[in-house]
Amino acid sequence: MVPDTNANFDRLAGAYRWMEWLSFGPLLQRCRCAFLGELETARRALVLGDGDGRFTAELLRANYAVRVDAVDASPAMLRALVERAGASAGRVRTIVADIRLWRPESADAYDLVVSHFFLDCLATEEVVALAGSVRGSLTEGARWVVSDFAVPEGWAGRLAGRVVVGFLYRAFGLLTGLRIRRLPDHAVALRSAGFVLEERKEMLFGLLFSEVWRA
Ligand SMILES: C[S@@+](CC[C@H](N)C(=O)[O-])C[C@H]1O[C@@H](n2cnc3c(N)ncnc32)[C@H](O)[C@@H]1O
């Protein structure tokens, strides 16, 4: 059953990759994989809203021991994720859920959380609640890798960033019913749950970023 989220990405599952390629070329995937080389020691990963699974597939390829729990509201996206995982699909557990209602099981102990271009589907207070609930299921020193859009500093960056981000929100609003219209303050949310920013990389003059946070 499709959860009652404020957005339905099912119908985008097949075309998502091509839409992304036509708009940003390889840049979003570069962003997702910016810290992949540092994730070889991860053993239990919680991947939030990975959609069609392009990051999960790379993680499974780079790390032969990691097991992944992938949570997404879209069954079609999760089917694409499992397909993309190929021979490593046995190391993936999919969970169809609205992340705003989902809680990790207490027995789970993740050493890695990943959210690429996903927190932007949530309001800041929803990211605060998510970070708080996820924090309780993490091992000591676990990492959270976040990639997303940002509005860059400086007047030109701010202007361009607002135009691009505004356009993306309008497009996703039309295509999926997403009602969120502004980027959440993920940094405030992660800090409030006790995470500390360790590393950050930017692309496209700061319009895209990838960060590693430590619990
Ligand atoms: C913009 S796509 C990003 C997909 C992927 N992470 C990427 O890097 O491109 C957002 C994904 O989050 C999922 N999603 C959006 N809101 C959600 C929610 N409230 N709970 C769970 N998944 C959600 C969508 O189904 C979709 O797969």
Side-chain angles (χ1 to χ4, degrees), residues 2-204:
V2 181
D4 181 24
T5 60
N6 64 1
N8 183 348
F9 281 75
D10 268 3
R11 71 181 87 113
L12 289 192
Y16 189 67
R17 178 183 185 192
W18 303 111
M19 286 167 56
E20 175 182 317
W21 184 263
L22 288 173
S23 47
F24 290 98
L27 292 180
L28 300 198
Q29 185 64 356
R30 271 191 212 153
C31 221
R32 292 182 192 105
C33 296
F35 294 105
L36 191 62
E38 298 178 26
L39 305 181
E40 283 157 4
T41 54
R43 291 296 172 263
R44 288 276 284 132
L46 173 62
V47 181
L48 304 172
D50 194 37
D52 62 3
R54 269 164 298 142
F55 173 77
T56 299
E58 292 304 323
L59 177 65
L60 292 165
R61 239 191 299 278
N63 180 330
Y64 289 104
V66 72
R67 285 183 297 130
V68 173
D69 282 355
V71 186
D72 198 293
S74 161
M77 286 287 197
L78 285 174
R79 279 195 297 276
L81 180 149
V82 170
E83 207 170 299
R84 189 158 273 124
S88 303
R91 288 189 279 141
V92 180
R93 177 170 69 150
T94 58
I95 301 163
V96 179
D98 183 340
I99 205 69
R100 297 168 300 177
L101 308 174
W102 179 78
R103 297 286 172 271
E105 287 164 23
S106 52
D108 290 327
Y110 301 107
D111 54 12
L112 175 66
V113 185
V114 178
S115 56
H116 294 308
F117 304 101
F118 165 68
L119 299 181
D120 55 11
C121 295
L122 303 173
T124 298
E125 55 274 22
E126 292 170 337
V127 184
V128 169
L130 174 65
S133 79
V134 163
R135 177 72 184 86
S137 68
L138 300 186
T139 58
E140 198 55 44
R143 290 170 289 178
W144 189 327
V145 183
V146 184
S147 301
D148 227 313
F149 295 93
V151 173
E153 302 282 310
W155 71 267
R158 249 196 323 273
L159 185 65
R162 282 190 186 143
V163 169
V164 173
V165 170
F167 171 78
L168 289 172
Y169 272 126
R170 273 196 296 281
F172 276 105
L174 281 173
L175 292 168
T176 71
L178 183 72
R179 289 195 290 264
I180 297 289
R181 286 293 178 272
R182 63 167 57 183
L183 294 168
D185 193 335
H186 75 287
V188 161
L190 293 196
R191 276 194 205 103
S192 76
F195 292 87
V196 177
L197 179 63
E198 272 197 342
E199 290 182 80
R200 178 179 166 96
K201 291 181 186 172
E202 293 184 352
M203 286 179 207
L204 267 185

